[in-house]
Amino acid sequence: MTSLKTYNTFGVDALAPELLVVESGEQLLELLSTRAKRPYLILGGGSNVLFRQSPGGAVLLNRIKGKVVVEETDSEVTVGIGAGENWHELVLWTLEHNWGGLENLSLIPGTVGAAPIQNIGAYGVELKDTFAGLEAIELRSGEELVFSMEDCAFGYRDSYFKRAGKGKYFITRVYLTLQKQPVVNVSYGAIKEVLQAANIDQPTIQDVSRAVVEIRSSKLPDPALIGNAGSFFKNPELEAERFYRLEAEYPQIPHFSAPGGRVKVPAGWLIEQCGWKGQRRGNACCYEKQALVLVNLGGATGAEIWALAQEIMASVKEKFGVVLEVEVNVI
Ligand code: FAD
Ligand code: EPU
């Protein structure tokens, strides 16, 4: 048995019957062919999982490395990235080359291979905006497959890999198309404010990245210091009519337009309004600077964090009639 405490950013304890480090697709194929068929749990950086219990099967720790340019034109470059590469180090590498597209996604913890699972997003940009395809290995059959944008069915914090494809594939390589003459995206209010405060009116992608790092560092807890998995819940997207009824009762409710005429409401606001910000249950706590983030103050179990999440969901449902959806992958 191996403790998974240092392999998940919540820092909760769980035991894996086996921990197998995967450094290449070939090694994974070999491993799968020599073992009886059984369930596996894939882990990258462990920054989006909560262990309520120990996983039933062996853990495959993705450490597949490599960054290559696979295609280049005057305006674009397509890169193929080993799924075990660290996401933020990839972003820094693209910034060094002045390739635009990932700057708004700076400082998101975890690996490149996990990025398509929930179509990572931040500050007005999602993985799908640069996504050019991925390679994966089906765990049961050992079949090597290629997934297009369409196959991945990306949505807000959602993809095929969180639905019908859940737990079935090991993503080994991700392809991204980046811009050689980057156009910055500063549509997200907080970025504009930080750039203005620094008197930057013609921001480069490097400026945008620095602004994003500054904003994130000011409100999100650093997992190296305080256990967490980022936003614990998704921001609910309400039918317009339903939102207007809520707005009539709570005129100050923040909101953003979402696809299909729906309205996105920040779950952090709903949770804060229910009085949860900074509240703790033992060592599980609703983070004092960002109510959407649950933290482990030290020694909390996955079950305790889950119990806090349940309490929060129940009170948001009671006060606003809104059912929060969990964003983190609960094991
Ligand atoms: P893990 O936690 O290891 O795995 C997550 C899920 O993906 C699991 O179900 C796992 O089985 C599966 N998986 C992992 N790798 C593979 C693979 N190679 N093939 C198949 N399945 C795989 N997310 C955002 O979208 N936006 C944010 O702004 C953001 N901010 C965050 C801030 C903080 C402080 C933290 C701690 C997390 C944040 N996250 C954010 C969540 C997290 O960083 C992302 O979901 C990230 O992509 C997870 O990567 P990981 O390698 O740690 O995945
Ligand atoms: N808010 C509150 N109280 C809080 C937190 C938020 O009132 O405690 C309200 C404020 O009105 C604020 C608004 O919510 O203006 C939005 O807050 P913030 O900009 O911090 O973003 P978020 O909606 O809480 C989402 C993502 C983050 C991502 C940021 C930036 C989800 C579930 N979360 O958070 O992603 O980094 O936007 O784009 O969509 C993650 O997925 O782990 C994650 C951190």
Side-chain angles (χ1 to χ4, degrees):
M1 288 283 183
T2 307
S3 168
L4 296 174
K5 195 167 181 173
T6 56
Y7 295 99
N8 71 98
T9 61
F10 255 126
V12 302
D13 215 356
L15 293 172
E18 257 182 309
L19 185 70
L20 304 160
V21 179
V22 176
E23 290 180 332
S24 69
E26 296 73 38
Q27 184 209 338
L28 176 61
L29 289 173
E30 164 98 27
L31 188 151
L32 295 173
S33 70
T34 53
R35 296 163 65 96
K37 302 270 174 276
R38 61 181 102 161
Y40 292 100
L41 172 69
I42 303 166
L43 270 190
S47 65
N48 208 23
V49 289
L50 174 68
F51 288 106
R52 277 178 72 192
Q53 56 190 18
S54 291
V59 168
L60 300 174
L61 197 60
N62 175 19
R63 294 295 179 260
I64 301 175
K65 295 292 166 72
K67 300 198 264 293
V68 287
V69 172
V70 293
E71 215 178 308
E72 190 163 3
T73 66
D74 286 347
S75 58
E76 290 181 342
V77 57
T78 298
V79 293
I81 311 295
E85 289 284 351
N86 174 273
W87 176 266
H88 184 60
E89 280 168 24
L90 165 67
V91 175
L92 294 178
W93 181 71
T94 64
L95 293 173
E96 271 166 34
H97 289 85
N98 204 38
W99 296 331
L102 304 186
E103 56 279 4
N104 296 50
L105 302 176
S106 295
L107 213 62
I108 297 182
T111 54
V112 170
I117 304 289
Q118 70 163 9
N119 177 30
I120 56 168
Y123 302 97
V125 172
E126 290 182 328
L127 176 83
K128 70 168 171 47
D129 301 330
T130 49
F131 184 80
L134 65 79
E135 289 165 9
I137 292 173
E138 190 180 12
L139 291 169
R140 280 194 74 81
S141 64
E143 197 181 345
E144 295 175 85
L145 298 157
V146 174
F147 287 78
S148 67
M149 174 92 87
E150 205 183 2
D151 297 329
C152 293
F154 291 125
Y156 162 60
R157 295 295 189 275
D158 197 21
S159 77
Y160 168 74
F161 301 102
K162 285 192 88 174
R163 293 174 180 267
K166 192 177 160 100
K168 290 187 183 159
Y169 307 92
F170 189 118
I171 295 171
T172 52
R173 186 173 292 272
V174 176
Y175 294 90
L176 302 169
T177 298
L178 306 166
Q179 300 305 315
K180 291 170 77 175
Q181 284 90 40
V183 178
V184 296
N185 175 347
V186 293
S187 56
Y188 206 93
I191 298 185
K192 265 188 236 146
E193 284 161 29
V194 170
L195 293 170
Q196 264 166 19
N199 285 320
I200 299 169
D201 40 59
Q202 299 280 317
T204 62
I205 53 173
Q206 292 77 9
D207 293 326
V208 171
S209 171
R210 278 189 289 270
V212 167
V213 168
E214 188 181 322
I215 300 162
R216 295 181 67 94
S217 307
S218 71
K219 57 177 155 189
L220 291 169
D222 177 355
L225 305 174
I226 180 162
N228 77 95
S231 302
F232 197 89
F233 305 100
K234 286 166 72 162
N235 287 326
E237 294 180 338
L238 308 176
E239 296 296 341
E241 207 178 291
R242 172 104 171 64
F243 169 74
Y244 292 131
R245 268 188 274 131
L246 212 53
E247 194 188 32
E249 205 175 337
Y250 303 96
Q252 73 285 28
I253 189 169
H255 55 280
F256 308 91
S257 55
R262 293 160 76 90
V263 183
K264 190 183 272 192
V265 172
W269 186 86
L270 299 172
I271 297 169
E272 185 177 350
Q273 295 302 307
C274 291
W276 281 105
K277 211 171 187 174
Q279 292 297 313
R280 59 194 282 182
R281 292 285 182 269
N283 287 318
C285 184
C286 178
Y287 191 50
E288 60 191 0
K289 294 188 203 166
Q290 225 297 3
L292 194 47
V293 179
L294 302 189
V295 296
N296 176 2
L297 296 175
T301 64
E304 280 167 338
I305 294 167
W306 183 245
L308 171 64
Q310 296 301 300
E311 264 199 78
I312 291 174
M313 287 168 80
S315 70
V316 168
K317 170 116 195 316
E318 194 185 321
K319 187 171 170 70
F320 297 105
V322 173
V323 178
L324 292 181
E325 204 181 315
V326 173
E327 192 234 63
V328 167
N329 299 280
V330 180
I331 311 294

